[in-house]
Amino acid sequence: MSESPASILLIDDHPLLRQGIKQLIDMEDDMVVAGEASNAADGIRLATELEPDLILMDLNMPEMDGIVALKKLREQNISSRIVMFTVSDQEDDVVAALRAGADGYLLKDMEPEDMINQLHQAAVGKMVISDRLTTLLAEALRSNKPQQASRPDFDSLTPREKDILRLIAEGLSNKMIGRKLDISDGTVKVHVKHLLKKLNLRSRVEVAVWAVEEGLHKG
């Protein structure tokens, strides 16, 4: 299988950090750094030009922070997977990034091997979140929900929606779910929209965290 390596764009205002990540990625055969930017504005411009497979972006940058940049990239329909890479494990930051359309959220204090493993996962379309943030996210979801009326009800879903929910919980993208269930991306998108509405959840990340908490991803 000689697929071309996954192209990665690094957006971070610390040259040393970019250099370190670049050296790590350079050691991998199936990933390549396609470009680097030291601020969000340049990053957005490069993302539009390069359309990389994956964008790894810092959350806290001068002039324009990562959340604003993320929203702008999503508004421009950039198809790249976008993973936030940051020192902040603040619940508000994590939730804001995921609601703005991030495909993952990794912390800068992770081990280099873990980092590379997570990038591999992200490059093939899986959602990546640093381990210690999953519990924090689950807590955030629980405390943000009124207890009775809006408690997600798994039984309200159709069999197909249940299948899709379990695959979302495994971190699969719409494209991968479509391939697995032999249906089109568009059909998956419609099912995802319906199940979000039925479960009263706002994003596929919330679905994934809730499903993992409830143990629904196992069966």
Side-chain angles (χ1 to χ4, degrees):
M1 247 171 62
S2 58
E3 286 184 18
S4 57
S7 55
I8 300 176
L9 170 63
L10 305 177
I11 308 174
D12 195 296
D13 58 326
H14 294 102
L16 256 177
L17 191 107
R18 290 200 312 273
Q19 184 61 30
I21 294 171
K22 189 174 185 308
Q23 285 173 348
L24 277 176
I25 291 170
D26 283 348
M27 291 191 284
E28 303 296 310
D29 293 335
D30 53 358
M31 294 192 284
V32 63
V33 175
E36 295 180 49
S38 59
N39 60 67
D42 286 349
I44 292 169
R45 183 179 50 75
L46 272 178
T48 314
E49 281 173 24
L50 301 170
E51 282 272 350
D53 295 309
L54 182 65
I55 297 171
L56 192 62
M57 180 160 62
D58 189 14
L59 185 72
N60 304 302
M61 291 181 283
E63 291 164 37
M64 189 196 302
D65 71 27
I67 301 280
V68 176
L70 172 61
K71 286 177 179 167
K72 284 182 184 291
L73 287 166
R74 288 299 179 224
E75 280 163 16
Q76 291 180 26
N77 291 321
I78 299 285
S79 61
S80 315
R81 316 266 313 157
I82 303 174
V83 174
M84 306 311 286
F85 187 52
T86 176
V87 292
S88 173
D89 59 1
Q90 294 302 301
E91 177 188 302
D92 291 352
D93 287 337
V94 184
V95 172
L98 297 173
R99 290 213 166 121
D103 296 296
Y105 195 104
L106 301 177
L107 296 172
K108 287 183 177 177
D109 62 1
M110 65 198 305
E111 294 293 329
E113 310 85 71
D114 293 341
M115 161 90 185
I116 285 295
N117 287 338
Q118 295 279 34
L119 288 182
H120 278 297
Q121 295 292 311
V124 296
K126 290 207 171 185
M127 184 176 68
V128 292
I129 298 178
S130 285
D131 287 346
R132 77 165 188 261
L133 296 177
T134 313
T135 315
L136 177 139
L137 262 175
E139 290 299 324
L141 288 183
R142 216 173 285 132
S143 58
N144 284 346
K145 295 270 172 286
Q147 285 309 298
Q148 279 81 28
S150 66
R151 180 138 179 82
D153 178 15
F154 182 65
D155 294 327
S156 70
L157 302 181
T158 65
R160 178 42 58 94
E161 286 165 354
K162 287 176 182 177
D163 290 342
I164 289 173
L165 179 136
R166 290 191 181 104
L167 294 172
I168 290 174
E170 286 176 28
L172 270 63
S173 64
N174 285 355
K175 194 177 281 184
M176 292 170 78
I177 292 172
R179 211 174 290 163
K180 202 153 191 170
L181 299 178
D182 202 22
I183 54 179
S184 73
D185 295 7
T187 307
V188 175
K189 215 172 270 184
V190 171
H191 283 306
V192 172
K193 204 167 126 186
H194 287 163
L195 70 86
L196 284 175
K197 200 171 179 187
K198 285 184 184 177
L199 298 174
N200 199 31
L201 296 171
R202 284 197 274 182
S203 71
R204 57 192 298 121
V205 177
E206 289 192 0
V207 170
V209 172
W210 174 72
V212 169
E213 278 291 292
E214 298 286 320
L216 299 173
H217 63 304
K218 297 189 181 83

